[in-house]
Amino acid sequence: MTKLSEASAPELRDGVEVFLFPRNGDSCQVLFLFLSNRRRLRIECKPAFAMLLKGLSKTQPLADTLKESRLVLDDETSAFLSFLEGEGIITLSDPLASGQLPTEYVEQYKRQLYFLLDILRSPQKVHEVQKRIFDAQIAVFGLGAVGCGILQQLCMMGFRRFALIDYADVEENDIARTPFQTASQIGLPKTLAAKALVDDLAFDPVVRLHNTTLQTRTDLDDLVQGTTLMVNTADEPYVGYTNIKLSRYALQHDIPLMAAGGFDAHLASLGELLVPHVTPCADCYATYFHESLKDWKPVPHPVKEREGWFGGLGSLSAFSASTAALDILTYFMNPQDKRAVAGGRGEFHFHDYSLDTFTVERDAHCQSCGEGRA
Ligand SMILES: [Zn+2]
């Protein structure tokens, strides 16, 4: 507990909603709702304490707020404020201030940092996670609707160092599907348009651009030097090939790979995070599909008359991008926790709100990550 004095200026922290329910003259019920994890805390208190809660502000000394509520800083008031601080509802000193991260950065990402604090319950752990994010370099292969959607969300989470890889230029239809801002970007290399997005959103951005395709012989050392995590949304020549190429490299160099979803006929699909020697690799997935689809014959699509349903709208790509960005955040919150990164693949069906998911196990004989490897 930080020392309370009349000169201190406690404030209600960001991300906690307060609801007051007056009962009778002597008591008031207060509900605190934490937006991050929906934790609810209900208390009974004197109406004057409820008034005090409403008046707390970091720009006003506690002495003035107490006067407005006709209170003094006696043992009872101190105990009430200490209780609120212990529950993470008010802050006396900024728990997010840290010498490790720039003050402006902490200010920009305050909402997220408080949300992390609700989950991790320790300012030190919050700083560790956000510092990891601050320092990380993410290589994004493929800068279409899903790739740029992920990029946009990573910037909003505080990621700032990127290698961006794509060979194509922005086309007219990209404006309606991707987060590129203006039609003036039509004709620009996608890497440049994506850089503009990062420059706009990220704190102190550091961006490397590679206008190139991902071919069998592409030298990845050059593209991903210093990379902490790779994201793949490159679907040319085919996303299965690009995933396998990147996954084998990821295994050799111990770099996690987000094989994002959302392609072609698999709109609103969830991709999987491949963590070397923890989760299955892309070869394990390929073997699984090869085996399970051996006797597969094309069947009629479950949705008849699909003309009436949404097709390749940007909203569906944004769904896939959001789930990938959350998987990445989960990984950065817990890089050592194997269970936290074990998410599998799935697909969301908008027409009936159902979600198909399935889990692929690691193939013990996998030629890339199992006993079968050379
Ligand atoms: Zn494998």
Side-chain angles (χ1 to χ4, degrees), residues 172-244:
E172 203 164 342
N173 68 62
D174 289 320
I175 299 300
R177 296 187 303 119
T178 65
F180 298 144
Q181 291 98 338
T182 67
S184 67
Q185 289 174 318
I186 294 169
L188 276 184
K190 280 186 173 176
T191 47
L192 270 184
K195 181 180 183 300
L197 187 70
V198 176
D199 287 345
D200 236 25
L201 288 171
F203 180 93
D204 195 12
V206 181
V207 187
R208 229 176 46 224
L209 307 181
H210 299 279
N211 292 294
T212 180
T213 51
L214 198 52
Q215 305 282 0
T216 316
R217 291 188 185 166
T218 304
D219 180 5
L220 290 173
D221 282 343
D222 188 36
L223 302 184
V224 302
Q225 49 174 301
T227 283
T228 321
L229 182 142
M230 297 188 281
V231 174
N232 187 32
T233 70
D235 53 359
E236 288 182 44
Y238 165 59
V239 73
Y241 297 147
T242 57
N243 268 344
I244 282 189

Side-chain angles (χ1 to χ4, degrees), residues 141 220-221 224 227-230 242-258 273-287 331 362-374:
F141 290 85
L220 290 173
D221 282 343
V224 302
T227 283
T228 321
L229 182 142
M230 297 188 281
T242 57
N243 268 344
I244 282 189
K245 179 175 172 73
L246 292 176
S247 168
R248 289 178 183 171
Y249 185 89
L251 280 167
Q252 276 172 12
H253 295 84
D254 202 19
I255 304 171
L257 166 65
M258 181 71 228
L273 186 63
L274 308 176
V275 180
H277 310 295
V278 175
T279 68
C281 74
D283 279 291
C284 294
Y285 272 88
T287 306
Y331 172 78
R362 271 183 77 186
D363 172 12
H365 307 294
C366 176
Q367 57 172 323
S368 293
C369 76
E371 289 162 11
R373 67 177 185 263

Side-chain angles (χ1 to χ4, degrees), residues 3-239:
K3 185 90 184 79
L4 253 182
S5 75
E6 292 201 330
S8 58
E11 67 166 337
L12 269 172
R13 52 149 279 208
D14 193 25
V16 180
E17 299 275 327
V18 183
F19 301 94
L20 303 181
F21 304 97
R23 307 279 268 195
N24 53 47
D26 303 327
S27 127
C28 185
Q29 198 175 69
V30 187
L31 169 68
F32 300 101
L33 178 63
F34 291 72
L35 297 180
S36 56
N37 54 10
R38 301 191 218 171
R39 182 180 155 223
R40 298 158 82 91
L41 179 68
R42 219 178 262 276
I43 61 164
E44 292 269 346
C45 67
K46 296 199 300 195
F49 282 167
M51 272 282 290
L52 173 68
L53 263 174
K54 290 180 77 171
L56 293 175
S57 158
K58 72 170 172 185
T59 57
Q60 177 165 286
L62 182 59
D64 295 352
T65 320
L66 286 169
K67 203 188 279 177
E68 286 167 8
S69 312
R70 300 185 184 176
L71 288 166
V72 290
L73 193 55
D74 56 13
D75 288 351
E76 192 188 5
T77 309
S78 296
F80 178 67
L81 292 171
S82 300
F83 167 77
L84 294 180
E85 196 198 12
E87 292 294 335
I89 292 165
I90 64 167
T91 56
L92 282 171
S93 58
D94 191 347
L96 302 176
S98 136
Q100 290 198 310
L101 293 165
T103 312
E104 303 80 14
Y105 179 83
V106 171
E107 201 53 43
Q108 186 169 333
Y109 294 100
K110 204 164 198 175
R111 170 64 69 103
Q112 170 171 304
L113 293 170
Y114 271 125
F115 280 7
L116 292 178
L117 187 60
D118 288 339
I119 298 164
L120 301 168
R121 307 302 290 260
S122 143
Q124 192 195 335
K125 282 188 186 156
V126 172
H127 285 297
E128 281 168 19
V129 171
Q130 200 63 39
K131 182 73 167 60
R132 232 175 265 145
I133 289 173
F134 184 84
D135 292 334
Q137 180 182 283
I138 311 290
V140 184
F141 290 85
L143 298 167
V146 182
C148 279
I150 295 171
L151 188 62
Q152 181 182 35
Q153 303 219 23
L154 292 182
C155 290
M156 295 194 294
M157 289 173 177
F159 288 91
R160 43 183 282 278
R161 297 156 63 89
F162 297 98
L164 305 177
I165 303 111
D166 200 312
Y167 72 95
D169 294 339
V170 179
E171 293 178 13
E172 203 164 342
N173 68 62
D174 289 320
I175 299 300
R177 296 187 303 119
T178 65
F180 298 144
Q181 291 98 338
T182 67
S184 67
Q185 289 174 318
I186 294 169
L188 276 184
K190 280 186 173 176
T191 47
L192 270 184
K195 181 180 183 300
L197 187 70
V198 176
D199 287 345
D200 236 25
L201 288 171
F203 180 93
D204 195 12
V206 181
V207 187
R208 229 176 46 224
L209 307 181
H210 299 279
N211 292 294
T212 180
T213 51
L214 198 52
Q215 305 282 0
T216 316
R217 291 188 185 166
T218 304
D219 180 5
L220 290 173
D221 282 343
D222 188 36
L223 302 184
V224 302
Q225 49 174 301
T227 283
T228 321
L229 182 142
M230 297 188 281
V231 174
N232 187 32
T233 70
D235 53 359
E236 288 182 44
Y238 165 59
V239 73

